[in-house]
């Protein structure tokens, strides 16, 4: 670890990506797909040689100024790593272009899960493994960056509870500026055992439930990273059935609150988990939205004289619960019962609800995207307090200093972020429309990219929108929106702010 501190962080990340290429190479070799194995093995070896040369050239180079180095490294990772990760993809799939491979890798690394290959059989199994692995590594990178980079700068949702100006480091860090490589390596060592262990545990449980090895591993990686990547057509083609969906549902709770994942920092352990703001907001949506969806389908079943079918009603309730959890955590897996509930009631997909859930998003400092539950909770508490003051103008808000800070400064910053997020949706929608798309597809694709929920394109509209149908300009816009949604607008503004340059 001490030796890695003298190497620029982006070089360490590139080396990690190149080393990961040996896993799909070994998988393809076991399957006797030698051309695919050579594509990954040669790419990994060649890139490691180049990265070693770059590492030697930049060894012991003085690190840049702290605040800009932290955020600049995050932005640089999403600019440099996807093209590098696309090299073996292009060689393993000869009938695709490098631009499509870049989009696929960017989508995976930002845990968006949008794919240009509508037919899963078009890609070799090892390439599907590579997509899931890149998404899994992207989720791990998000976790470590949130703890080691964004949290000390009061970004990524931490600004709601910190009470500090977003983008500025704590005063006690001025005496010794913590190197970004050191921070990320230390946090990676703390998070990796839990993150990898939970992935292996879910994989084993899915295999015991009847899932095949490759599909189970990809679904386990897609669940822990909330990328929603699948080598088949999602849960509808899964062999694990209801048991597999229940297992995935349970493990999706790790995207609700950072305190559920061992090794995380910036957590108030004194507060009971039942009073955790993110957990309370998540249960509000998990209880409210499935009931609304069930009543909607039940009313539709009355019109078709099938309302007494208890089995169909139970499937509809479970389908709403699982799909709500999946899209609230911006994963995007669709329950098999979700399709059955539509057949029971004869009603179409309530796409607006899925869009709203993805916009709300999961927990702060988790792999989920969206606005984040903590920001929504801060806005809710502020609105509650304002209504209370209308009824009792002389009342005093209680529950301590932290609660008052959350209702005041936290709600103020949360509202700013929400407005920036809404402006980003409008901007991306307008940009997509300029490429020739109609308004509805442009809006859905923009929200899917900014919330890092690629499956929204298939499920949020009556007629599925295919990412493969986008032109070159639209793919570039969608890719940029994925990076903005993953980094968040406050972090980008903090990176571009002149005050950051002087630190």
């Amino acid at each position: 670890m001490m030796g890695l501190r003298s190497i620029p962080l982006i070089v360490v990340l590139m080396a990690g990506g190149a080393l990961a290429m040996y896993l799909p190479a070994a998988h393809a070799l076991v399957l006797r797909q030698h051309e695919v194995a050579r594509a990954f093995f040669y790419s990994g070896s060649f890139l490691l040689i180049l990265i070693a040369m770059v590492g030697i050239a930049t060894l012991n180079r003085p690190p840049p100024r702290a605040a800009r180095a932290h955020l600049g490294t995050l932005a640089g990772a999403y600019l440099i790593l996807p093209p590098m990760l696309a090299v073996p993809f292009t060689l393993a799939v000869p009938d695709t272009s490098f631009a499509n491979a870049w989009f696929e890798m960017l989508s995976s690394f930002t845990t968006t899960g949008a794919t240009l290959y509508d037919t899963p059989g078009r890609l070799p199994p090892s390439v599907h493994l590579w997509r899931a692995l890149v998404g899994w590594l992207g989720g791990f990178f998000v976790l470590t960056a949130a703890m080691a980079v964004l949290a000390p700068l009061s970004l990524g949702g931490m600004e709601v509870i910190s009470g500090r100006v977003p983008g500025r480091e704590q005063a006690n860090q001025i005496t010794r500026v913590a190197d970004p490589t050191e921070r990320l390596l230390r946090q990676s060592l703390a998070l990796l055992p839990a993150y990898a262990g939970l992935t292996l545990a879910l994989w084993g449980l899915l295999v015991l439930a009847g899932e095949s090895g490759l599909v189970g591993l990809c679904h386990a990686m897609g669940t822990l990273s909330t990328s929603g990547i699948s080598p088949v057509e999602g849960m509808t083609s899964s062999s694990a059935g209801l048991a597999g969906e229940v297992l995935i549902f349970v493990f999706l709770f790790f995207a609700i609150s950072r305190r559920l994942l061992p090794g995380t920092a910036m957590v108030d352990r004194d507060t009971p988990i039942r009073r955790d703001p993110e957990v309370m907001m998540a249960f509000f949506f998990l209880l409210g939205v499935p009931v609304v969806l069930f009543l909607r389908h039940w009313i539709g079943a009355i019109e078709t004289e099938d309302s007494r079918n208890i089995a169909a009603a139970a499937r509809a309730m479970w389908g709403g619960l699982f799909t709500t959890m999946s899209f609230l955590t911006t994963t995007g897996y669709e329950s098999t019962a979700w399709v059955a509930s539509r057949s029971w009631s004869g009603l179409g997909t309530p796409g607006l609800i899925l869009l709203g859930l993805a916009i709300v998003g999961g927990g702060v400092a988790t792999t989920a995207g969206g606005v984040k539950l903590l920001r929504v909770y801060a806005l809710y508490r502020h609105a509650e307090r304002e209504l209370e003051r209308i009824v009792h103008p002389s009342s005093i808000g209680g529950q301590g200093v932290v609660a008052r800070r959350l209702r005041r400064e936290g709600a103020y910053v949360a509202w700013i972020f929400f407005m920036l997020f809404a402006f980003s949706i409008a901007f991306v929608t307008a940009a997509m429309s300029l490429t020739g798309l109609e308004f509805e597809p442009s809006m859905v694709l923009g929200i899917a990219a900014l919330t890092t929920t690629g499956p929204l394109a298939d499920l949020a509209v009556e007629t599925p929108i295919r990412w493969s149908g986008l032109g070159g300009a639209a793919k570039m816009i969608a890719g940029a929106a994925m990076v903005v949604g993953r980094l968040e607008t406050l972090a980008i503004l903090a990176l571009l702010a002149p005050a950051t340059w002087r630190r």
Side-chain angles (χ1 to χ4, degrees):
M1 179 175 175
M2 296 298 295
L4 293 177
R5 288 174 52 185
S6 59
I7 303 175
L9 176 59
I10 191 63
V11 178
V12 177
L13 296 176
M14 292 169 63
L19 286 172
M21 297 177 186
Y22 290 116
L23 179 60
H27 180 264
L29 185 62
V30 171
L31 297 180
R32 297 185 181 277
Q33 296 180 348
H34 299 292
E35 293 184 1
V36 178
R38 283 194 294 267
F40 283 98
F41 180 79
Y42 291 160
S43 298
S45 302
F46 178 72
L47 288 172
L48 277 177
I49 294 173
L50 291 181
I51 294 168
M53 296 171 63
V54 174
I56 294 173
T58 57
L59 191 65
N60 295 324
R61 182 180 179 183
R65 296 181 179 179
R68 185 172 176 81
H70 288 51
L71 299 177
T73 300
L74 295 186
Y78 290 105
L79 293 176
I80 297 175
L81 291 182
M84 185 192 79
L85 301 174
V87 173
F89 191 102
T90 307
L91 297 176
V93 187
D95 59 343
T96 192
S97 64
F98 184 79
N100 288 347
W102 164 82
F103 182 90
E104 199 76 15
M105 291 296 96
L106 179 63
S107 172
S108 299
F109 191 62
T110 56
T111 71
T112 303
T115 180
L116 301 176
Y117 304 92
D118 304 324
T119 305
R122 182 182 172 186
L123 299 178
S126 300
V127 176
H128 282 298
L129 176 61
W130 178 236
R131 292 176 57 238
L133 180 60
V134 171
W136 186 80
L137 292 174
F140 182 67
F141 176 67
V142 168
L143 281 176
T144 54
M147 297 296 175
V149 178
L150 297 181
L153 294 174
S154 296
L155 293 171
M158 291 297 181
E159 72 279 358
V160 176
I161 55 178
S162 67
R164 300 192 302 270
V165 178
R168 294 185 182 178
E169 294 181 288
Q170 301 182 42
N172 58 5
Q173 292 180 346
I174 295 179
T175 56
R176 179 189 180 274
V177 176
D179 183 75
T181 304
E182 179 186 353
R183 285 184 181 179
L184 277 171
L185 288 176
R186 187 189 304 118
Q187 195 63 50
S188 298
L189 293 177
L191 286 173
L192 183 59
Y195 188 72
L198 289 170
T199 304
L200 293 176
L202 179 56
W203 179 29
L205 292 173
L206 288 175
V207 171
L208 291 177
E211 193 65 87
S212 64
L214 176 63
V215 177
L217 179 59
C218 292
H219 283 176
M221 289 180 174
T223 299
L224 268 297
S225 65
T226 67
S227 63
I229 294 175
S230 174
V232 292
E233 295 180 355
M235 303 308 298
T236 57
S237 301
S238 173
S239 303
L242 179 61
E245 292 186 6
V246 172
L247 291 170
I248 290 177
F249 179 84
V250 172
F251 277 78
L252 283 176
F253 274 97
F254 291 103
I256 293 297
S257 176
R258 63 193 179 279
R259 65 183 300 167
L260 298 176
L261 185 66
T264 53
M266 306 291 290
V267 176
D268 183 13
R269 301 293 182 184
D270 296 331
T271 304
I273 191 169
R274 66 179 182 275
R275 296 181 56 188
D276 185 272
E278 294 175 324
V279 174
M280 290 191 297
M281 287 300 300
F283 272 99
F284 169 78
F285 287 107
L286 289 175
L287 293 176
V289 175
V291 170
V292 172
L293 292 175
F294 174 78
L295 293 176
R296 178 179 183 271
H297 288 297
W298 181 70
I299 294 173
I302 291 178
E303 298 178 356
T304 60
E305 300 180 356
D306 196 25
S307 60
R308 296 184 180 180
N309 191 336
I310 299 178
R315 287 195 300 270
M317 189 64 186
W318 168 250
L321 182 62
F322 179 87
T323 306
T324 297
M325 183 65 158
S326 179
F327 279 87
L328 182 65
T329 57
T330 66
T331 304
Y333 285 136
E334 177 191 17
S335 173
T336 305
W338 180 260
V339 181
S341 64
R342 288 182 289 172
S343 302
W344 174 52
S345 64
L347 299 177
T349 301
L352 189 61
I353 294 180
L354 299 182
L355 290 172
L357 289 172
I359 290 175
V360 171
V364 167
T366 65
T367 56
V371 174
K372 301 299 176 62
L373 289 166
L374 188 59
R375 293 188 177 107
V376 176
Y377 178 79
L379 294 175
Y380 161 73
R381 293 307 304 270
H382 176 74
E384 181 186 45
R385 175 60 183 154
E386 291 300 314
L387 291 176
E388 183 181 352
R389 292 178 62 184
I390 291 175
V391 179
H392 304 287
S394 300
S395 63
I396 298 175
Q399 299 183 352
V401 178
V402 177
R404 287 195 294 270
R405 183 192 303 151
L406 185 69
R407 293 193 300 262
R408 295 174 183 173
E409 294 88 350
Y412 176 75
V413 179
W415 179 252
I416 291 177
F417 179 85
F418 186 81
M419 289 295 99
L420 289 173
F421 195 86
F423 176 77
S424 300
I425 293 176
F427 182 82
V428 175
T429 301
M432 285 283 194
S433 300
L434 292 177
T435 63
L437 294 175
E438 297 182 358
F439 173 76
E440 184 179 11
S442 300
M443 183 187 67
V444 172
L445 292 175
I447 295 176
L450 288 169
T451 60
T452 65
T453 317
L456 273 177
D458 291 330
L459 303 178
V461 288
E462 184 176 356
T463 303
I465 304 171
R466 301 301 181 188
W467 293 94
S468 57
L470 299 181
K475 292 176 184 176
M476 293 291 293
I477 295 171
M482 293 176 194
V483 176
V484 172
R486 189 74 274 180
L487 283 178
E488 296 192 352
T489 49
L490 281 179
I492 295 176
L493 290 178
L495 175 61
L496 299 177
T500 306
W501 304 346
R502 295 191 296 268
R503 293 182 66 85

